[in-house]
Amino acid sequence: METDNSLRRLKTIEGHLRGVIRMVEEDSYCIDVIRQIQAVEAALNKVSAQILESHLNSCVITAVQGNDKKERERVLKEITEVFEMSTKV
Amino acid sequence: METDNSLRRLKTIEGHLRGVIRMVEEDSYCIDVIRQIQAVEAALNKVSAQILESHLNSCVITAVQGNDKKERERVLKEITEVFEMSTKV
Amino acid sequence: METDNSLRRLKTIEGHLRGVIRMVEEDSYCIDVIRQIQAVEAALNKVSAQILESHLNSCVITAVQGNDKKERERVLKEITEVFEMSTKV
Amino acid sequence: METDNSLRRLKTIEGHLRGVIRMVEEDSYCIDVIRQIQAVEAALNKVSAQILESHLNSCVITAVQGNDKKERERVLKEITEVFEMSTKV
C-alpha cells in the first residue's frame, strides 16, 4: 500500500519533470525553471522520507529484532548513510 | 547552446527517474531506491547551477547594466531567493 | 566515547564559527564568509550523522527490541522526522 | 548596517551552538541534539542568504557595471559556485 502511494507520487513527479523539460524547450525564464526544479526536488525529498518510514517499519524492525548481528549492523549503517547523503543533495 | 546542454541533462534525469519508478514497481530494496532518488536530486542540482550560470551571464548582466533600477533590483532579488530555497531542498 | 568525539567536533565547529564572526567584523570578502559558513554547515552535518549513528546503535535497538509498541513507533518516527528535516537545512 | 545585522545573527547562532554543546555535555537525548543542530544550520542558511543579498547589491553591481571583463566573470562565477555548494550542505 505504501508502495502504491510512493509510486503515485513518483509518477506525479515524472509529469512535473516533463513540464520542466517543456519549459526549457520553450525557452522559459531561467529563474522560473530553477524554481520548478527546486519544487521537483522538494517532492522527491517527501517520497524519500516516506520510503524510509516504511523501510524502518518493516526491514529495520525485522533486522533489529533478528539474531543476525552483522545484518542488524548493516541495516542501521544504511540509515546513517542515507541520512548523511540527504544533507548533501 | 547552454539550453541544449540543460535539456539533454534533464532528459537523462527523466530517464533516471523512470528507472526509479521501475525499481519501486519491481519492489526493489528501499535503501537502493532512496539512493537513486538522491542521485536524481544531485543531478537536478547540477542542472540548476548550470541554468543559473547562464542566467547570470545574460539576463543579470543586461539588467544590472541597464537603466531600470526596479528591474535590476528584481533580478538581483531573485538570485537571493533561489539561493535561499536551494538550502531548503 | 561517541559523546566525547561529538563534543570535540562541536567545540572545533564553535571555534570555526568564531572565526567566521571575526571575518565579518573585519569586513572580509562576502563570498569568503559564505564559503566558511558552508564549511561550518558541512561539519555540523557530519556531527549530526555521527550522533544519529550512535542513537541507532543504542536507543533505537533498545526500543525496537523492547515490548512497548508505542515507544518503538515513536523512536522510528523520530528517525524519519530528522531525515526529512535534513533535506531542508 | 547589513554587516551589523549579520554579525548580530552570527553571535546569536554562536550562543545557540554553545547551547548544543551543553546539551551534549549533559547527555541530552540524541534526537533533540540533532534537531538543535538542524536549527543552527537553518539559521546559518538565513545569514548566508543575507550576506549574498548584500554582496549582489554592492560588489556584483560594481563589477558588472565596470569595464573589467575578467573581474565581471570572476564575480559571477563565484555566485554560481556558492549556489552549487548550497545544495550540498
Side-chain angles (χ1 to χ4, degrees):
Chain A
M1 203 155 82
E2 270 311 315
T3 297
D4 285 0
N5 195 343
S6 299
L7 204 53
R8 201 167 38 242
R9 278 172 185 255
L10 282 168
K11 286 181 177 171
T12 304
I13 294 170
E14 192 198 352
H16 197 159
L17 182 58
R18 265 202 302 271
V20 175
I21 291 174
R22 229 168 6 248
M23 285 175 78
V24 176
E25 284 171 342
E26 292 165 1
D27 231 356
S28 298
Y29 185 53
C30 298
I31 296 292
D32 292 339
V33 175
I34 293 174
R35 283 184 175 138
Q36 288 310 312
I37 291 176
Q38 292 176 330
V40 165
E41 293 183 273
L44 286 171
N45 283 334
K46 285 230 175 77
V47 183
S48 283
Q50 191 178 44
I51 294 174
L52 180 67
E53 187 172 29
S54 120
H55 177 63
L56 288 164
N57 287 296
S58 53
C59 307
V60 174
I61 291 185
T62 307
V64 172
Q65 292 181 340
N67 294 315
D68 188 343
K69 192 163 174 285
K70 277 259 170 69
E71 171 67 2
R72 186 167 67 221
E73 281 168 2
R74 193 186 61 75
V75 159
L76 293 178
K77 197 166 177 40
E78 283 174 347
I79 306 295
T80 310
E81 284 167 4
V82 294
F83 175 78
E84 201 167 359
M85 182 51 74
S86 78
T87 64
K88 291 186 194 149
V89 290
Chain B
M1 202 154 84
E2 272 309 315
T3 297
D4 284 2
N5 194 344
S6 300
L7 205 54
R8 199 166 41 242
R9 279 173 186 254
L10 283 169
K11 284 180 178 173
T12 305
I13 295 170
E14 193 198 352
H16 198 161
L17 183 57
R18 264 202 302 271
V20 174
I21 290 174
R22 231 169 4 250
M23 285 175 80
V24 175
E25 283 171 343
E26 292 165 359
D27 231 356
S28 299
Y29 186 53
C30 298
I31 295 293
D32 293 339
V33 176
I34 292 174
R35 282 181 177 140
Q36 289 309 312
I37 290 176
Q38 291 176 332
V40 166
E41 293 183 272
L44 286 171
N45 283 333
K46 285 229 177 76
V47 183
S48 283
Q50 191 179 43
I51 294 174
L52 181 68
E53 188 172 27
S54 122
H55 177 63
L56 287 164
N57 286 298
S58 52
C59 307
V60 174
I61 290 185
T62 307
V64 172
Q65 292 180 341
N67 293 315
D68 187 343
K69 191 163 175 284
K70 277 258 170 69
E71 173 66 1
R72 185 167 68 221
E73 282 170 0
R74 194 187 61 77
V75 160
L76 293 178
K77 195 163 179 44
E78 283 173 346
I79 307 294
T80 310
E81 283 167 4
V82 294
F83 175 79
E84 199 166 1
M85 183 52 74
S86 79
T87 64
K88 292 187 193 149
V89 290
Chain C
M1 203 155 82
E2 270 311 316
T3 297
D4 284 1
N5 194 342
S6 299
L7 204 53
R8 201 167 39 243
R9 279 173 185 255
L10 283 168
K11 284 179 179 172
T12 305
I13 295 169
E14 194 199 350
H16 197 160
L17 183 57
R18 266 201 302 271
V20 174
I21 290 173
R22 235 173 358 255
M23 287 176 78
V24 175
E25 283 170 345
E26 293 165 1
D27 231 356
S28 300
Y29 185 52
C30 298
I31 295 293
D32 293 339
V33 176
I34 293 175
R35 281 181 177 139
Q36 289 309 311
I37 290 177
Q38 291 176 331
V40 166
E41 293 183 273
L44 286 171
N45 284 333
K46 284 229 176 73
V47 183
S48 283
Q50 194 178 38
I51 295 174
L52 181 67
E53 187 171 29
S54 123
H55 177 62
L56 288 165
N57 286 296
S58 53
C59 307
V60 174
I61 290 184
T62 307
V64 172
Q65 292 180 341
N67 293 315
D68 187 341
K69 190 163 176 286
K70 277 258 167 71
E71 173 66 2
R72 184 167 68 221
E73 282 170 1
R74 192 186 62 75
V75 161
L76 293 177
K77 194 162 180 45
E78 283 174 346
I79 307 294
T80 310
E81 283 167 3
V82 294
F83 175 79
E84 200 166 0
M85 183 50 75
S86 79
T87 63
K88 291 185 192 149
V89 291
Chain D
M1 202 155 83
E2 270 312 316
T3 297
D4 285 1
N5 193 344
S6 299
L7 205 52
R8 201 167 39 243
R9 279 172 185 256
L10 283 168
K11 285 179 178 172
T12 305
I13 295 170
E14 193 198 352
H16 197 160
L17 183 57
R18 266 203 301 273
V20 174
I21 291 174
R22 236 176 354 257
M23 285 176 79
V24 175
E25 283 170 344
E26 293 165 359
D27 230 357
S28 298
Y29 185 52
C30 298
I31 296 292
D32 292 339
V33 176
I34 293 175
R35 281 181 177 140
Q36 288 309 311
I37 290 177
Q38 292 176 332
V40 166
E41 293 182 273
L44 286 170
N45 284 332
K46 285 228 175 76
V47 184
S48 284
Q50 192 179 40
I51 294 174
L52 180 67
E53 187 171 28
S54 121
H55 177 63
L56 288 165
N57 286 297
S58 52
C59 308
V60 175
I61 289 184
T62 306
V64 172
Q65 291 180 342
N67 292 316
D68 188 341
K69 190 163 175 286
K70 276 259 168 71
E71 173 66 1
R72 185 168 67 220
E73 281 170 0
R74 194 188 60 76
V75 160
L76 293 178
K77 195 164 178 43
E78 283 174 346
I79 307 293
T80 310
E81 283 166 4
V82 295
F83 175 78
E84 200 166 3
M85 183 51 74
S86 78
T87 63
K88 291 185 193 150
V89 292

